Amino acid sequence: MSKQSRRSEFLSEVGNISAFTGKFFREGFKPRYEWSELFRQCYIIGYESFPLVGITAFIMGLVLTVQSRPTLEEFGAASYLPAMVAVSIVREIGPVITALICAGKIGSSIGAELGSMRVTEQIDAMEVSGTNPFKYLVVTRVIACTMMLPILVVLADGIGLYASYIGVNLKGIVSWNLYTTQVFESLTFSDVMPALVKTYFFGFAIGIIGCYKGYFSNKGTEGVGIAANSAVVVSSLMIFVIDLIAVQIADILGLT
Amino acid sequence: MSTEENIVIRTEKLVKSFGENHVLKGFDLELNKGENLVVLGKSGSGKSVLIKCMVGLLYPDSGLVSVFGKEIPKLTQLELDELRTKIGFLFQSSALYDSMTVRENLEFPLRRHWMHKTKDEVNELVMEALKNVGLERAVDLMPSELSGGMRKRIGLARTLILKPEIMLYDEPTTGLDPITGREISNLIVAIQEKYHTSSIIITHDMECAKIVANRIMILIDGFKYTVGTYDELVKSDDPKIKPFFA
């Protein structure tokens, strides 16, 4: 494939995703609302992802603490360990790692599910029955992702901080009260808010990319695999792009 | 005989291409009220494309496609959705929603179009639709637990639940053994008699065509080649028609 055709393919993909997002905003707020499907998706995306997110957050908190200790000790700043880990987890590592885990788990499952519905004509069947498949399949999943990701991130932050407490106590003795005091004294509004706000965008990106890739899947069963794979790749990339933009905006607003 | 009031679906000079692949090159068709019209053609000749144009799943490049006198490409989404409730479409793959039980599959269109129905009324309609296809016992099964023939029947029940006036069947007997295929063909005739539906049946199964067809239309090279009854066509000496009936 030539450079020019690759560039035009990329630009048309960007255009198509933008149009798909535009359709989401046009369709998303018009009745009929698919409440039961929305709650089902919230359960699948939120509740069923929690064990994986929780285990990852626990390991992340523990490893970060254990690996940071020697460096801080070298500078005689071991007492800053809880504060440093808390800021790292809440500001950056918690949201980004959780979003990446969800991009892998949720993005791929949405891409594969909608992709297989497309190739087995289930989406066409909804359409010819006079039902709006975009509302039923896309709007519900995107909203569920957008709503559930911040909750998963908050839970992951909590689990990560608890794991960090265990990590701190592996080579020392710090009481729970002292640990939590140090953690909460180090965290400010500008640490928590931008991190929380960007998770909504992470969730939205995972939902919209997963749905887009699945909804327009083609080439039969091979297309389902491609849809699942590209949903993960593109949404993971989008998470980093959004993170970069969020950092710049927070910097401009003085929230750093 | 075709009269204007009698025609429920009409296509005129219908053209549809996919890139360089010119599938329909000016196809003309008229479906009369209450008749079963079989469209015969080789694989890849554009039969499925034709009926997908009739429900707005695909839009023609040029030409006319109208259902109940309404031109499909000119309808708004709302008008199209309303019209689609009068059209039942049985997909080749049955297209059952595989994350839902049979009951939920049947309730899905009902709950969106007949919202005023109570739970009991919905249940009654579901059971009636399943009774029509002889599968009441499958109500709580998942699609993955059904055989190919059962899937076709459930697909048929799902399309019938909104009591459509037109039925479009996309290769209803493909992939089925001869006995099950015959059962599905007889079911198509029974549905026509019970609900007075007008149907287009896309197939290359001659036994199915023989059982269900009031008229048969042959699609060759993107054009309507000929039209007639089964008995007329089976006697034809035309070298292009003969292979279908060999």
Side-chain angles (χ1 to χ4, degrees), chain A residues 32 34 36-37 40 113 116-117 119-132 136, chain B residues 52 55 57 81 84 87 89 91-93 95-98 100 108-109 111-113 115 158 162:
Chain A
R32 145 187 185 119
E34 300 283 357
S36 64
E37 179 63 8
R40 195 176 79 89
E113 187 187 11
S116 75
M117 288 185 79
V119 300
T120 56
E121 298 178 309
Q122 291 176 52
I123 295 179
D124 287 345
M126 277 186 193
E127 213 164 311
V128 296
S129 73
T131 303
N132 186 339
Y136 183 78
Chain B
K52 283 183 178 174
V55 285
L57 280 178
D81 284 345
R84 280 168 169 168
I87 307 171
F89 194 119
F91 286 85
Q92 193 175 341
S93 59
L96 298 181
Y97 310 132
D98 48 21
M100 301 180 195
F108 188 83
R111 292 204 182 280
R112 276 150 191 85
H113 294 294
M115 284 174 274
R158 189 180 64 188
L162 290 178

Side-chain angles (χ1 to χ4, degrees), chain B residues 148-163:
Chain B
M150 288 165 88
R151 290 173 74 94
K152 287 269 178 189
R153 284 165 182 265
I154 300 295
L156 199 49
R158 189 180 64 188
T159 58
L160 286 174
I161 205 157
L162 290 178
K163 312 240 186 299

